[in-house]
Amino acid sequence: ILVAGLPVPDHAWDFRDATGEVCDQHSDLVAHFRGGAQCNSDGVVFDGEKAFVEIDSWEWNGPVSFEIRVKYNSYAHQAAVFALGKQEPAGRVADLFSIMSYTMFVVRKSLLSFARVITEGNGTITLDSWFHMVATCQDGSLVLYINGEEAGRIPEGTSAARLMRQAVIGKSLLDANYLDGTVSYFRIWHGVSLKPEMVELLYERSALK
């Protein structure tokens, strides 16, 4: 279903002025605040040390698109904006789909097998400024967009298995790579790899909010 030129997301969490846990606008999935994460009019605030958001696990399979709006208070190269994957025994992580800082887009099949894009031509992160990020994933194409423009891609793509995935915002799946900054909202489209013109429209609308 298209609404004003865009498909309706399957999941959406808006953290601006939220009090308590935030319910998904389209399902019963809940975003839980951990480690002292708190919300203000801009969104959920992370301290770079222990605060993060944990989202109820859900089944992920096939093409998918993620949208997130983030502002950095300080810069750390591997600060994780968002991570989705499986926690394995002995602290291992597999099937990881992650955006780390705004310069890196990572898909790992295991700790020893991963694909990575270091985005080019984006300069340095501007602190206290909003960045709009969209990541799309389908067979043969993994793409990261920053502020409406393609920033990098992994041409070989990945094949997503039908698995229950853990998801966190503000850190990696492991207790590391904490984000010092703010996230306004987070949205997911299942079965859809958003087209570039849709990503540009999302960015234009994010600037109005």
Side-chain angles (χ1 to χ4, degrees):
I1 299 175
L2 294 179
V3 176
L6 291 168
V8 176
D10 294 280
H11 303 293
W13 295 268
D14 193 327
F15 300 109
R16 290 166 292 191
D17 287 322
T19 58
E21 297 176 333
V22 177
C23 295
D24 178 13
Q25 296 174 3
H26 305 287
S27 76
D28 58 357
L29 298 179
V30 178
H32 309 272
F33 299 135
R34 310 296 192 201
Q38 297 181 347
C39 294
N40 59 26
S41 59
D42 285 336
V44 57
V45 180
F46 303 102
D47 61 6
E49 297 179 358
K50 61 181 181 179
F52 67 100
V53 170
E54 181 180 14
I55 298 175
D56 291 339
S57 297
W58 75 92
E59 191 176 77
W60 180 49
N61 185 57
V64 66
S65 297
F66 303 98
E67 179 196 15
I68 197 163
R69 186 170 181 254
V70 60
K71 178 171 63 175
Y72 294 85
N73 294 330
S74 64
Y75 176 72
H77 178 60
Q78 292 189 336
V81 179
F82 163 67
L84 169 71
K86 288 195 311 174
Q87 193 110 33
E88 303 281 10
R92 293 180 299 146
V93 173
D95 297 306
L96 180 64
F97 184 107
S98 179
I99 300 173
M100 303 179 73
S101 298
Y102 96 105
T103 59
M104 190 181 299
F105 174 64
V106 180
V107 177
R108 283 185 185 145
K109 296 178 182 178
S110 75
L111 289 179
L112 299 178
S113 175
F114 66 93
R116 182 174 73 178
V117 161
I118 305 294
T119 64
E120 298 178 354
N122 292 293
T124 306
I125 285 178
T126 303
L127 301 183
D128 299 318
S129 296
W130 288 106
F131 288 90
H132 178 264
M133 304 181 187
V134 172
T136 65
C137 174
Q138 66 178 4
D139 286 348
S141 182
L142 294 160
V143 187
L144 173 65
Y145 299 87
I146 300 170
N147 291 344
E149 298 184 359
E150 182 178 324
R153 66 169 55 221
I154 301 171
E156 65 267 26
T158 188
S159 179
R162 188 177 291 278
L163 298 168
M164 294 297 291
R165 304 301 178 98
Q166 297 170 282
V168 291
I169 301 172
K171 76 174 187 72
S172 63
L173 285 184
L174 303 177
D175 292 328
N177 304 321
Y178 286 88
L179 171 70
D180 179 16
T182 303
V183 168
S184 289
Y185 55 80
F186 179 52
R187 299 175 182 143
I188 304 171
W189 289 261
H190 290 302
V192 177
S193 178
L194 294 175
K195 298 177 181 179
E197 58 269 24
M198 292 179 174
V199 174
E200 184 177 0
L201 184 55
L202 284 172
Y203 169 59
E204 290 173 356
R205 292 182 180 177
S206 75
L208 302 175
K209 296 180 179 181

